[in-house]
Amino acid sequence: MKKIALSTRVKEAVPEINTSKSISIDLIPVAHNEIDLAADRYVLKHAQGSVYHLAAWRNAITQAYRQQCILLLAKQQNEIVGLLPLCIMSVPLRGNKLISLPFADFCSVLADSTLIREQLLQAAIALLPRYKASQLDLRESVALPNLQEPPSNTDIAGPNKVRMLVQLAENAEVLLASYKPKLRSQIKKAQKNGLTADVSNSTSALSDFYAVYSKNMHRLGSPVHSFQWFNSLTQQLSAKQAFKVVLVRNDEQVIGAGLVLHCGKQAVIPWASTVAEFNHLAPNMLLYWQIQAYLADAGFSVFDMGRSTVGEGTYRFKTQWGAQPEALYWHSFNGQSEAIPLSGVPSGKTRAVAEKIWRLLPLAVATSIGGYLRRYISL
């Protein structure tokens, strides 16, 4: 990867990294309402913009988990022409690294040109010494040109890791008619079993979601996010009316739940869960149908069903809804702009042992400990 010379100077207490006479890259080290609003407007008009790029995601990380987030802004004639959000993720005994961004499937460099994109990437790498960070982890939804990745990187993201995108119809009626008979019958099965679904953005709905989510994650042997994370994130997004909680009930009991986030005409579901003992009633089918019916009727064009591994169960589940895979590209760079193996993901054997031990913990204990540990787990 070609390097570019960068210099740093301070202007009005904000470090600025100059890449050329016409384009400057500003480092925004803390949340700044006016700048964040301008950056969000740029995200909303950019083709690759997502909810992960919005200030809400960075602010929630800082508010809930006390990890510092920064923003690199590329400007030309005082207009934003690119940006890259970053988190200075500090992990005890392991030090710091820069990530774009934790808990997100992707947070690509957004730019008006390939040159500006390259400059933002080089500016991020140049920040490693400033924050005593060992590496830059970049999560892209588009491939970086002329990059030779270390082979081990494909274990985490690469050709086998994809996000699954559904192109939504103009309304729920047309969408339902587009499904194969088998899928429609599975949706009807859930309804015949007496299950109901609703869409909300209330605090009580978020609590119901968290109860189902934490129970399911305990069953899977995985640490949960803290409730504060979800509360902070939804509070940050509430001003833009950019989230919805979808709940599936059996009588009055909530047995399925998903958190849907909006950005422009696109929506994503980073978290969804069901209560395992009720899975025979097909709550998952009603959950995903209710989500997509709501999105189609509300005028959304794309539904991102989240990250999957090609060929595995979640991948097959999503393809039946018409989802198409789009590759994810996760890269890691050292201070010399060299691609290095991604780190921080345990081996399959280590992970299996950890999951087994985690399941043995009482639910309340696992939820409490998980909420603390999750701030140090970037996935």
Side-chain angles (χ1 to χ4, degrees), residues 152-169:
S152 58
N153 278 10
T154 58
D155 294 337
I156 302 174
N160 293 324
K161 287 291 185 181
V162 296
R163 61 185 183 127
M164 303 295 288
L165 304 181
V166 175
Q167 303 297 322
L168 296 167

Side-chain angles (χ1 to χ4, degrees), residues 28-31 58 61-62 67-71 86-88 101:
I28 314 301
V30 293
R58 302 190 299 278
I61 291 171
T62 300
Q67 299 279 15
Q68 182 184 356
C69 290
I70 61 177
L71 179 66
L86 294 164
C87 176
I88 308 156
L101 270 174

Side-chain angles (χ1 to χ4, degrees), residues 37-176:
L37 288 173
D40 281 357
R41 287 194 293 270
Y42 180 79
V43 169
L44 289 170
K45 73 177 185 179
H46 198 283
Q48 276 84 50
S50 72
V51 69
Y52 306 124
H53 291 89
L54 296 177
W57 196 268
R58 302 190 299 278
N59 293 341
I61 291 171
T62 300
Q63 187 178 67
Y65 288 146
R66 300 295 184 262
Q67 299 279 15
Q68 182 184 356
C69 290
I70 61 177
L71 179 66
L72 287 174
L73 277 184
K75 290 184 176 180
Q76 189 170 37
Q77 297 180 344
N78 211 33
E79 293 290 327
I80 297 175
V81 292
L83 61 80
L84 175 59
L86 294 164
C87 176
I88 308 156
M89 195 159 193
S90 179
V91 180
L93 304 178
R94 301 190 68 175
N96 298 348
K97 61 181 177 178
L98 299 183
I99 305 178
S100 179
L101 270 174
F103 322 130
D105 289 345
F106 66 96
C107 192
S108 305
V109 181
L110 301 185
D112 287 2
S113 70
T114 302
L115 174 62
I116 298 170
R117 186 185 188 197
E118 174 74 10
Q119 291 175 333
L120 281 164
L121 175 56
Q122 289 295 336
I125 293 171
L127 289 175
L128 292 175
R130 175 192 293 268
Y131 293 109
K132 299 179 180 179
S134 60
Q135 64 193 59
L136 166 69
D137 287 353
L138 191 64
R139 299 177 177 181
E140 286 277 348
S141 59
V142 292
L144 292 177
N146 305 317
L147 179 66
Q148 182 65 42
E149 281 284 7
S152 58
N153 278 10
T154 58
D155 294 337
I156 302 174
N160 293 324
K161 287 291 185 181
V162 296
R163 61 185 183 127
M164 303 295 288
L165 304 181
V166 175
Q167 303 297 322
L168 296 167
E170 57 266 35
N171 57 54
E173 182 179 0
V174 175
L175 185 64
L176 184 63

Side-chain angles (χ1 to χ4, degrees), residues 180-192:
K180 294 180 179 179
K182 182 180 179 181
L183 180 58
R184 291 199 298 269
S185 69
Q186 289 175 313
I187 296 169
K188 291 178 181 178
K189 175 186 175 182
Q191 295 168 331
K192 288 179 180 178

Side-chain angles (χ1 to χ4, degrees), residues 39-348:
D40 281 357
R41 287 194 293 270
Y42 180 79
V43 169
L44 289 170
K45 73 177 185 179
H46 198 283
Q48 276 84 50
S50 72
V51 69
Y52 306 124
H53 291 89
L54 296 177
W57 196 268
R58 302 190 299 278
N59 293 341
I61 291 171
T62 300
Q63 187 178 67
Y65 288 146
R66 300 295 184 262
Q67 299 279 15
Q68 182 184 356
C69 290
I70 61 177
L71 179 66
L72 287 174
L73 277 184
K75 290 184 176 180
Q76 189 170 37
Q77 297 180 344
N78 211 33
E79 293 290 327
I80 297 175
V81 292
L83 61 80
L84 175 59
L86 294 164
C87 176
I88 308 156
M89 195 159 193
S90 179
V91 180
L93 304 178
R94 301 190 68 175
N96 298 348
K97 61 181 177 178
L98 299 183
I99 305 178
S100 179
L101 270 174
F103 322 130
D105 289 345
F106 66 96
C107 192
S108 305
V109 181
L110 301 185
D112 287 2
S113 70
T114 302
L115 174 62
I116 298 170
R117 186 185 188 197
E118 174 74 10
Q119 291 175 333
L120 281 164
L121 175 56
Q122 289 295 336
I125 293 171
L127 289 175
L128 292 175
R130 175 192 293 268
Y131 293 109
K132 299 179 180 179
S134 60
Q135 64 193 59
L136 166 69
D137 287 353
L138 191 64
R139 299 177 177 181
E140 286 277 348
S141 59
V142 292
L144 292 177
N146 305 317
L147 179 66
Q148 182 65 42
E149 281 284 7
S152 58
N153 278 10
T154 58
D155 294 337
I156 302 174
N160 293 324
K161 287 291 185 181
V162 296
R163 61 185 183 127
M164 303 295 288
L165 304 181
V166 175
Q167 303 297 322
L168 296 167
E170 57 266 35
N171 57 54
E173 182 179 0
V174 175
L175 185 64
L176 184 63
S178 71
Y179 294 155
K180 294 180 179 179
K182 182 180 179 181
L183 180 58
R184 291 199 298 269
S185 69
Q186 289 175 313
I187 296 169
K188 291 178 181 178
K189 175 186 175 182
Q191 295 168 331
K192 288 179 180 178
N193 286 332
L195 303 186
T196 59
D198 60 84
V199 180
S200 174
N201 57 3
S202 69
T203 302
S204 62
L206 188 65
S207 296
D208 288 336
F209 156 80
Y210 192 73
V212 174
Y213 160 78
S214 56
K215 185 174 182 179
N216 186 53
M217 295 301 285
H218 180 250
R219 178 182 67 86
L220 296 173
S222 182
V224 295
H225 277 290
S226 66
F227 180 78
Q228 187 179 0
W229 160 252
F230 293 109
N231 194 46
S232 296
L233 181 60
T234 53
Q235 284 182 358
Q236 292 287 335
L237 290 170
S238 61
K240 291 182 170 62
Q241 298 183 332
F243 81 93
K244 285 291 186 289
V245 179
V246 182
L247 302 176
V248 174
R249 289 184 170 86
N250 180 38
D251 295 327
E252 295 301 314
Q253 182 179 357
V254 177
I255 62 170
L259 181 59
V260 182
L261 311 179
H262 307 164
C263 182
K265 291 295 184 181
Q266 298 191 32
V268 60
I269 181 166
W271 303 281
S273 293
T274 60
V275 179
E277 49 264 42
F278 292 95
N279 281 350
H280 65 283
L281 299 177
N284 223 21
M285 304 308 297
L286 185 57
L287 176 68
Y288 277 86
W289 162 243
Q290 182 64 53
I291 291 168
Q292 292 173 88
Y294 157 74
L295 292 175
D297 284 341
F300 289 89
S301 57
V302 178
F303 176 43
D304 185 343
M305 300 183 79
R307 188 172 76 245
S308 292
T309 301
V310 175
E312 292 192 352
T314 58
Y315 178 88
R316 294 192 297 272
F317 173 81
K318 295 168 185 177
T319 56
Q320 69 181 326
W321 298 95
Q324 295 296 314
E326 184 173 288
L328 293 171
Y329 304 91
W330 289 13
H331 311 287
S332 191
F333 301 95
N334 61 20
Q336 289 72 50
S337 300
E338 298 167 337
I340 59 176
L342 290 163
S343 62
V345 177
S347 66

